[in-house]
């Protein structure tokens, strides 16, 4: 079994109001030194009965067709063996 | 400058309807071999004017007090030097 760990982040040029809200809340808590916060999505996909290469290809397809908006978001992933 | 890369995931015992919906959509796309999908949050926090240790401590505090719900979620993070 393999597991894909996917992180989807907003492209740097895209405004992130949710991140701004978190940065503001951090300041309200009295935590100093925070320059910026960017929010994204973390997705874990478990595959069964696929080879590592097939899992890589399936993950790429899932990211492109389903999870990431290519205009606004970047994605990166690793596929690892799952015990 | 340091950057904390934080991943927040639902605890294994917590149901994840959003992940179930993605798994269903994946099957609809005709992609086979997916056993399960779990959704989480990915957060990047940039620090300025802090040492690496201070950034570690600040990140821990931000996760505990703000980002993660300790009843339902786990978090893990790395702090890395940012160019």
């Amino acid at each position: 079994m393999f597991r894909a760990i996917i992180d989807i982040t907003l492209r740097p040029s895209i405004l992130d109001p949710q991140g701004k809200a978190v940065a503001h809340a951090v300041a309200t808590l009295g935590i100093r030194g925070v320059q910026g916060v960017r929010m994204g999505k973390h997705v874990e996909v478990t595959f069964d009965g696929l080879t590592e290469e097939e899992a890589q290809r399936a993950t790429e397809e899932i990211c492109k067709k389903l999870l990431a908006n290519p205009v606004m978001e970047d994605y990166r992933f690793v596929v690892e063996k799952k015990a």
Side-chain angles (χ1 to χ4, degrees), chain A:
Chain A
M1 280 187 22
F2 291 96
R3 178 170 51 189
I5 312 279
I6 307 162
D7 286 322
I8 297 160
T9 50
L10 280 174
R11 297 202 160 190
S13 58
I14 304 290
L15 286 177
D16 179 6
Q18 196 188 357
K20 281 245 181 297
V22 170
H24 182 75
V26 166
T28 308
L29 281 177
I31 299 168
R32 288 163 185 285
V34 171
Q35 203 197 40
V37 179
R38 304 282 290 175
M39 304 293 291
K41 284 178 283 186
H42 175 86
V43 189
E44 297 187 2
V45 182
T46 312
F47 295 98
D48 200 9
L50 299 189
T51 65
E52 184 164 1
E53 258 184 46
E54 289 169 339
Q56 292 264 7
R57 268 201 302 274
T59 305
E60 187 75 43
E61 202 178 343
I62 290 168
C63 288
K64 275 217 180 103
K65 292 192 179 166
L66 198 63
L67 295 176
N69 170 349
V71 178
M72 296 171 60
E73 293 172 325
D74 290 317
Y75 61 87
R76 56 178 181 276
F77 64 84
V78 292
V79 172
E80 60 179 32
K81 210 172 178 71
K82 198 190 168 195

